[in-house]
Amino acid sequence: DVKVTQSSRYLVKRTGEKVFLECVQDMDHENMFWYRQDPGLGLRLIYFSYDVKMKEKGDIPEGYSVSREKKERFSLILESASTNQTSMYLCASTWDRWNYGYTFGSGTRLTVV
Amino acid sequence: QKEVEQNSGPLSVPEGAIASLNCTYSDRGSQSFFWYRQYSGKSPELIMFIYSNGDKEDGRFTAQLNKASQYVSLLIRDSQPSDSATYLCASYSGGGADGLTFGKGTHLIIQP
């Protein structure tokens, strides 16, 4: 089975800190995604990448950046954490968006205080 | 703006009955559709995908797609308490390296 691993399950950070969320997949998938999930708002796409060193903005990229230096790793960076970035962050990967949907990581629940 | 709409529920179904979950989408260019199950506090897991009009069956699950009506549904036969979860519908429009568009999910409760 494809495994998507997010480095932290729970994280508490202070306002203004730079925060790194790490995601690693083990199945040589081209496509990787970062979503955040909030009650009443559902899953919203932050950034995605379809190749090493490639990145594309999703629907809500403000306040975030990403890095993909290696195919298996896709990092989400909160440049200066704010309380409105408190959320569940979900990483996903897929080989073929058309046919196979995503495999999600277990998620990182980030609290910014 | 691509949108996927679902009734948030909760949808309550007795054990052993058929649960019917529905979803509509706004983008006529959507090509494939996915159903995810999400237990409370967990990440979504893929149940089924469908891209042709009609029905697709996998065990107790049947996905139905009607592109003319822009409608997708998921039927769960012989519902079990373990099916209690939030079900997310998602669409993929293709034509570029963009992500899935998700609905906000339907909360399903199977009553023993």
Side-chain angles (χ1 to χ4, degrees):
Chain A
D1 278 352
V2 176
K3 196 159 186 182
V4 179
T5 302
Q6 293 184 234
S7 54
S8 304
R9 187 75 180 95
Y10 299 95
L11 215 49
V12 180
K13 295 293 182 180
R14 295 195 179 275
T15 300
E17 276 193 77
K18 191 168 186 176
V19 181
F20 293 85
L21 303 183
E22 306 287 342
C23 175
V24 178
Q25 50 92 5
D26 65 359
M27 283 299 289
D28 202 34
H29 283 177
E30 302 272 336
N31 308 287
M32 297 188 74
F33 306 83
W34 276 105
Y35 282 82
R36 63 178 283 178
Q37 187 174 32
D38 301 287
L41 296 176
L43 280 152
R44 293 180 291 168
L45 181 63
I46 305 171
Y47 266 96
F48 59 93
S49 168
Y50 53 90
D51 202 353
V52 176
K53 297 197 186 288
M54 303 298 289
K55 59 185 179 184
E56 296 286 342
K57 293 180 180 179
D59 299 320
I60 51 163
E62 297 78 20
Y64 303 94
S65 63
V66 290
S67 172
R68 194 163 181 203
E69 296 296 320
K70 294 185 178 181
K71 194 174 188 178
E72 67 270 18
R73 186 181 297 270
F74 191 35
S75 303
L76 180 70
I77 304 158
L78 285 66
E79 298 291 343
S80 177
S82 63
T83 54
N84 64 12
Q85 292 178 310
T86 292
S87 186
M88 170 67 87
Y89 289 88
L90 289 161
C91 175
S93 76
T94 185
W95 174 70
D96 180 351
R97 298 182 299 283
W98 162 253
N99 272 324
Y100 298 113
Y102 296 165
T103 299
F104 281 93
S106 56
T108 295
R109 184 162 292 281
L110 173 67
T111 302
V112 182
V113 298
Chain B
Q1 180 80 5
K2 292 177 262 188
E3 290 184 340
V4 174
E5 300 284 344
Q6 296 181 256
N7 188 320
S8 61
L11 174 65
S12 188
V13 173
E15 184 176 357
I18 296 175
S20 178
L21 302 159
N22 304 313
C23 165
T24 58
Y25 59 94
S26 63
D27 181 8
R28 281 202 172 273
S30 296
Q31 299 176 39
S32 50
F33 304 88
F34 304 85
W35 283 100
Y36 288 83
R37 178 176 61 200
Q38 187 174 25
Y39 293 114
S40 179
K42 302 292 186 182
S43 59
E45 55 178 325
L46 182 66
I47 300 173
M48 291 191 71
F49 66 88
I50 186 168
Y51 50 84
S52 298
N53 273 329
D55 295 1
K56 180 181 178 182
E57 189 174 315
D58 184 1
R60 295 187 299 114
F61 299 96
T62 299
Q64 299 175 317
L65 174 60
N66 183 328
K67 288 188 177 179
S69 301
Q70 296 178 242
Y71 180 89
V72 190
S73 65
L74 179 71
L75 302 178
I76 306 174
R77 289 182 299 282
D78 188 23
S79 297
Q80 303 297 311
S82 59
D83 294 326
S84 298
T86 296
Y87 288 80
L88 304 173
C89 176
S91 70
Y92 174 65
S93 296
D98 54 352
L100 296 180
T101 300
F102 284 87
K104 293 178 183 177
T106 298
H107 184 205
L108 175 66
I109 299 171
I110 306 300
Q111 295 179 322

